[in-house]
Amino acid sequence: MIRIAVILLASAIATGAACAQAVSEANWPSRPVRFLVPFPPGGSTDTVARIVGQLLGARLGQNFVVENRAGASGNLATEAVARAAPDGYTIGLASTTTHGSVAGFARTLPFDPVKDFAPVSMLGSSPFVMVVYPGLPAKDLNEFIALAKLKPGGLTYGSAGAGSLAHLVAALFEHMAGVSMVHVPYKASAQSTPDLMTGRLDMQFATVPPTLSLLRSGKLRALGIASAKRSELLPEVPTLSEAGLTGYEASLWFAIVAPAATPPAIVARLNREIAAILNTAEAKDALFQQGVDAEASTQDALGRRIRDEIAKWREVIGKAGIQPE
């Protein structure tokens, strides 16, 4: 009799807990949501997060508080998301770096980029553009590749440091084009660009918005966009695949993830709300001004993208023998 009573009590407690969780999920969000961003204020990653966070807050009636936690190539904020309470009140901005290139290195990470997160949705992507010194005697991609093959190790390219995404994007280019160039690492692209304009560097891969005015003024020349389609900001510039490097693609993408055990109902709600705001002219225009093409996705599609990106950059890193700084 006592055993039956214990079983009934346990069942009642479990049912009550399930009902309480359902009510909690139905009322989500009932307080502000922390939105962790793995890079400093003012950059493209931070700006994308603030645009999306503001629109989500307005739509859901709660503040999405952007918290910048920079350091360790984005690992500090990313680990904090992985270790946060899985209650729907902490989400994080994921990118090609945090859930792609960084995870491709052999070093041990303080989190598992696949198992420790619940993929929520893509937000958008910004393609890299291949830019060269205007005085370089190569007017298009094929001429550049021919020049690089004629002078193995004779051309230079810059990046924001060894192991940075720009470095890996260039290493992928070297592999696919069958060329060998000299990598010149800088602390930031703002330092390498002046050297590129004056010919101390020959080439680099950059994001479109910061280089747009330099391209239009003729201080830099674009040879191709590293995406599957042309950029609306530079419609006259062909994709690298169109220009002759078939299948080449590399972009800086942004997405939202949550701690792995976040209730599925909350993750699904977030996914629906993100899709709704990214379908508005306001979101599309705001992101476009940052050079980002708005792009929602299913949870499964984002999960596949993360796994594919890790495998892609791990292969590039291995073949090029790249070590992070």
Side-chain angles (χ1 to χ4, degrees), residues 145 149 170-179 245-249 312:
I145 292 174
K149 288 182 175 180
L172 175 63
F173 173 83
E174 286 184 285
H175 171 68
M176 292 185 64
V179 300
L245 199 60
T246 305
Y248 184 93
E249 187 175 347
K312 172 181 179 176

Side-chain angles (χ1 to χ4, degrees), residues 114-148:
V114 174
K115 295 179 180 178
D116 288 342
F117 300 91
V120 178
S121 175
M122 276 286 295
L123 298 178
S125 60
S126 180
F128 283 93
V129 57
M130 180 182 175
V131 292
V132 300
Y133 167 56
L136 195 71
K139 304 303 181 185
D140 58 31
L141 178 66
N142 289 328
E143 289 185 4
F144 181 90
I145 292 174
L147 182 63

